[in-house]
Structures are given as structure tokens and as C-alpha cells.
Amino acid sequence: MATDIDRKTVEKAYARWAPVYDLVFGSVFDQSRRISIDAANRVGGKILELGVGTGISLAGYGSRTQVVGIDISEPMLRKARERVVHEQLAHVLGLAVMDAGNLGFKDASFDCAVAQFVITTVPDPEATLDELARVVRPGGEIVLINHISAESGLRASFEHWFAQRSTQLGWRAEFPFARIERWIGRHGGVRLLERRNAPPFGMFSLIRIGRTGETGGRAA
Ligand SMILES: C[S@@+](CC[C@H](N)C(=O)[O-])C[C@H]1O[C@@H](n2cnc3c(N)ncnc32)[C@H](O)[C@@H]1O
């Protein structure tokens, strides 16, 4: 059984999820989304929301931020566009179909990049993290909120079993923190600022990664 994810599978999965996504994944992820939005608002300025989906978080960013959202799924983005119009979200600068592993932005374009429940859905998480580090300015932050898999015990066994079935749904169930730690160690231009459990029941993790290097002002 396949345990990895490719772009076609993800696009197919989210085309199916789009009409019911907010109903199924709205409130269950809400508290965790709020925590990551608050972290991004503390950085402020230009914010990239990666895998913005139906735009469920967009209204939460402060009115003094400027937000750009990207997603690989056109049906999910369509919902986000409707939301921006309907809720008159003037701080949303743009929404675009784009692959997280190949972002069409210049280096250091953003003060902060946020990925909520996305890093386990992309085919190559390390390439995506490389891209996030590239487009965030030195002194800026990458904010991730995600399910991080257990490394041992009953939950780890369940996640291993579920991983073999979950890719068709559009995400990978197994994603250990060690993978992010290894990427941080290898990259050289980032450092871990915070990792903490997030609700409900500490099921998710907030991970804040700082972009190191000279800290200038805001992203241009
Ligand atoms: C679980 S949903 C999360 C949506 C939203 N961030 C939220 O909090 O509900 C994952 C999103 O990531 C998007 N996605 C998956 N792979 C992607 C990629 N390679 N590039 C851009 N977006 C991607 C999916 O289309 C989907 O909208």
C-alpha cells in the first residue's frame, strides 16, 4: 500500500474535500489555527499563508498585516476567493494557485510564513521548508501548526497503520519531529524558537522557526 504523497493525489483529494472542508475540518482545527495566527500577528507585516485552502484563517490576521495565500488546489482557492469578497478582507493582497515546493516569490519577500496543517500534505516537506526559509526575510519567522507523530508506544503503532491508508485522503499520518530537527540542522539559516503542544488534547504542535542572518526592517 502506498504511504507517500504526490501532487496528483493531493489535488484529487482536495477537489473532493473542498465543498465540505469547513464543515469537517473547521471547528476541530480552530483553536490550533488561532494559536498560529496569533504567532504570525506578533511578527506582523507581510504574511504568506501556505496551503491557505478555503481561506478559513484569513479573517484572523490583523488589519495591519498584508496577507498572500497560495494553494495547489483550485477548488479550495475558489472558496477562499469567495470568502475574501464576502467578508471584505481588505488585508488579503492576493490568492494564487502555486506549488509550495516552488514558490514564485523573490527571496526575503515576507516577514512571516504560516503553514497550518500543510507540511504533512506536501510531497517533499524538506523542499517546502527550504522554500519557506528562502522567502522569509532574516529576522522573520516560519510558523507551523501540524500533527506531529509519536515516536513510540500505542499512538505510534496506530499512526503507522493509519499512514498506509491516509494518503488517499490527502495527508501523511506519520511525520516525526526529528524530520524538522534534521532539516533545521542541515539548513544553517534557521533556528528553532518554540515547539509546544496545541489543542484539542495537545494533538497538534505549534513550531516556530526563526530565520537567522542580518535583521533589517520589514520585508520589502
Ligand atoms: C489540510 S488542508 C489545510 C488547509 C488550511 N491551511 C486549514 O488550516 O484548514 C491542506 C492544504 O494544503 C494544500 N496543499 C497540499 N499540497 C500543496 C502543495 N504542494 N502546494 C500548495 N498547497 C498544497 C491543499 O490543497 C490543502 O488546501
Side-chain angles (χ1 to χ4, degrees):
M1 215 175 285
T3 56
D4 224 342
I5 261 180
D6 59 61
R7 179 175 173 161
K8 254 201 183 130
T9 310
V10 170
E11 280 180 306
K12 247 175 141 175
Y14 286 97
R16 280 199 306 267
W17 280 123
V20 293
Y21 186 87
D22 289 359
L23 210 63
V24 179
F25 299 109
S27 51
V28 72
F29 290 168
D30 256 1
Q31 286 171 287
S32 279
R33 281 195 194 95
R34 188 66 255 169
I35 288 171
S36 58
I37 293 168
D38 289 348
N41 279 338
R42 279 194 293 275
V43 181
K46 284 194 184 146
I47 296 174
L48 171 65
E49 200 189 308
L50 192 88
V52 64
T54 61
I56 197 161
S57 291
L58 290 173
Y61 295 102
S63 57
R64 292 209 310 234
T65 60
Q66 296 175 306
V67 181
V68 172
I70 71 106
D71 203 286
I72 202 86
S73 166
E74 175 60 38
M76 293 287 274
L77 265 188
R78 208 173 300 136
K79 294 268 173 195
R81 287 193 200 102
E82 286 166 13
R83 185 171 239 129
V84 168
V85 173
H86 187 246
E87 297 179 20
Q88 300 181 7
L89 303 177
H91 60 289
V92 178
L93 288 191
L95 296 168
V97 174
M98 205 181 280
D99 187 343
N102 185 20
L103 297 175
F105 303 110
K106 288 189 188 148
D107 297 0
S109 302
F110 295 94
D111 298 291
C112 183
V114 185
Q116 301 168 325
F117 311 105
V118 177
I119 204 69
T120 44
T121 70
V122 295
D124 186 343
E126 286 78 8
T128 295
L129 289 167
D130 281 344
E131 276 296 82
L132 291 182
R134 183 183 68 74
V135 300
V136 168
R137 67 163 168 86
E141 278 188 31
I142 299 170
V143 178
L144 309 176
I145 191 106
N146 226 98
H147 172 70
I148 298 294
S149 52
E151 268 143 55
S152 58
L154 198 61
R155 184 154 77 89
S157 309
F158 172 74
E159 282 165 352
H160 181 68
W161 173 84
F162 187 62
Q164 300 180 321
R165 288 145 184 93
S166 68
T167 51
Q168 297 308 311
L169 299 175
W171 65 85
R172 34 165 106 67
E174 273 184 315
F175 193 80
F177 184 65
R179 214 164 150 173
I180 293 183
E181 271 181 320
R182 271 199 302 276
W183 172 77
I184 290 175
R186 215 173 38 228
H187 186 277
V190 292
R191 70 190 172 95
L192 182 66
L193 300 175
E194 183 181 10
R195 178 200 176 184
R196 70 176 147 110
N197 291 342
F201 314 117
M203 259 166 67
F204 302 116
S205 296
L206 172 79
I207 297 163
R208 289 175 46 233
I209 297 167
R211 184 75 173 88
T212 56
E214 256 176 67
T215 56
R218 291 266 179 226

